């Protein structure tokens, strides 16, 4: 299949960047992102379109697990290139059908301004719908982790929560997380950066040493 030339002016924020600022209309009123949810983490996620099947399962997943995001001091913020009127209709439709209520703001990005600012429009996937992006933004508004999924594959809520908890635990304890880390597992302590630190690590029996550069400890 021939790929289209990418003519959409799309910025692609990267991990470590300050999250680009914007004003937006949402299902819970207008927001200015730089003032939004101060002192909280933000998980901002796009979905391709209201009233579509995969999106309905994903939004319902965010809604039913909202208490877990609250417990991690994290504000949810949805987005799609639909009007606020469509968002309201969809929220009400899902509430009527399933009892699940999307109790977090959903941006009506009808002019695609935010989608373009965050690289959510990926024209060889769709020129009119945002892909399934997830931006993990810390309380200083720095982007810490980015996920992009295509239109036909729903995201994994366990992984979104795991990654959020991993970022927060890493910040709190100044450690790194190994493959498949989950809360309660041991964590990786930073490797030595000098020979003195290496010698100290070799003599340190408080950590589980696989080798001098790979050592773990339990946070409990
Ligand atoms: C869906 O959510 O099911 C969907 C949305 C846009 C394109 C394809 C699938």
């Amino acid at each position: 299949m021939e790929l289209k030339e990418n003519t959409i002016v799309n910025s692609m924020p990267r991990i470590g960047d300050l999250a680009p600022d914007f004003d937006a209309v949402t299902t819970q009123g207008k927001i200015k992102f730089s003032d939004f949810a101060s002192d909280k983490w933000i998980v901002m996620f796009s979905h391709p379109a209201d009233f579509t099947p995969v999106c309905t399962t994903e939004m319902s997943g965010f809604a039913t697990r909202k208490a877990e995001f609250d417990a991690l001091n994290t504000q949810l913020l949805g987005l799609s290139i639909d009007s606020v009127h469509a968002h309201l209709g969809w929220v009400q439709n899902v509430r009527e059908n399933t009892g699940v209520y999307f109790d977090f703001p959903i941006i009506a990005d009808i002019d695609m301004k935010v989608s373009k600012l965050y690289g959510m429009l990926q024209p060889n996937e769709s020129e009119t719908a945002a892909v399934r992006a997830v931006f993990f933004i810390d309380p200083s508004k720095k982007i810490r982790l980015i996920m992009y999924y295509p239109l036909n594959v729903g995201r994994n809520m366990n992984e979104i929560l795991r990654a959020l908890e991993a970022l927060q635990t890493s910040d709190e304890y100044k450690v790194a997380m190994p493959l498949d880390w989950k809360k309660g597992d041991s964590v990786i302590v930073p490797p030595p950066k000098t020979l003195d630190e290496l010698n100290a690590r070799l003599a340190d029996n408080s950590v589980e040493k696989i080798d001098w550069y790979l050592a773990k400890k339990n946070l409990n």
Side-chain angles (χ1 to χ4, degrees), residues 48 52-55 132 151:
T52 52
V54 178
C55 298
R132 303 180 195 281
L151 268 51

Side-chain angles (χ1 to χ4, degrees), residues 7 78 116 124 130 145 164 171 183:
T7 52
K116 289 179 182 172
N124 282 300
L145 195 154
L164 177 62
D171 283 5
K183 190 183 170 122

Side-chain angles (χ1 to χ4, degrees), residues 14-206:
R14 289 161 297 194
I15 292 173
D17 289 356
L18 188 65
D21 197 17
F22 57 84
D23 295 296
V25 172
T26 83
T27 49
Q28 297 185 1
K30 290 185 180 169
I31 62 166
K32 180 173 180 58
F33 188 70
S34 51
D35 297 334
F36 177 71
S38 305
D39 304 326
K40 287 188 171 190
W41 284 72
I42 298 170
V43 167
M44 180 166 76
F45 52 96
S46 54
H47 66 269
D50 297 348
F51 293 100
T52 52
V54 178
C55 298
T56 301
T57 64
E58 289 190 311
M59 292 294 274
S60 300
F62 279 110
T64 53
R65 301 192 67 177
K66 180 173 175 289
E68 292 171 70
F69 288 98
D70 290 342
L72 295 170
N73 188 36
T74 299
Q75 172 70 49
L76 294 173
L77 178 60
L79 174 150
S80 76
I81 301 167
D82 289 290
S83 68
V84 83
H85 187 76
H87 285 342
L88 297 180
W90 188 38
V91 171
Q92 177 57 7
N93 174 265
V94 174
R95 178 161 62 174
E96 277 172 6
N97 283 333
T98 67
V100 175
Y101 181 49
F102 302 166
D103 187 17
F104 45 79
I106 308 168
I107 294 170
D109 194 31
I110 199 79
D111 59 3
M112 306 186 182
K113 191 178 67 186
V114 184
S115 307
K116 289 179 182 172
L117 204 53
Y118 279 80
M120 295 166 174
L121 265 174
Q122 305 201 1
N124 282 300
E125 181 68 358
S126 170
E127 286 181 317
T128 53
V131 296
R132 303 180 195 281
V134 190
F135 285 84
F136 296 71
I137 297 164
D138 73 16
S140 71
K141 294 280 191 296
K142 188 198 270 194
I143 296 172
R144 301 292 302 278
L145 195 154
I146 304 171
M147 298 173 174
Y148 287 113
Y149 275 57
L151 268 51
N152 56 350
V153 178
R155 289 158 282 199
N156 183 309
M157 202 55 60
N158 291 330
E159 172 57 7
I160 292 171
L161 280 157
R162 186 199 75 92
L164 177 62
E165 194 150 35
L167 286 168
Q168 294 184 355
T169 306
S170 171
D171 283 5
E172 185 176 351
Y173 294 97
K174 309 287 176 258
V175 292
M177 284 29 203
L179 173 75
D180 292 338
W181 177 88
K182 60 184 183 321
K183 190 183 170 122
D185 289 354
S186 56
V187 297
I188 293 175
V189 293
K193 289 195 263 324
T194 63
L195 281 173
D196 282 349
E197 287 181 12
L198 185 152
N199 291 330
R201 173 62 49 80
L202 292 176
D204 182 357
N205 292 323
S206 72

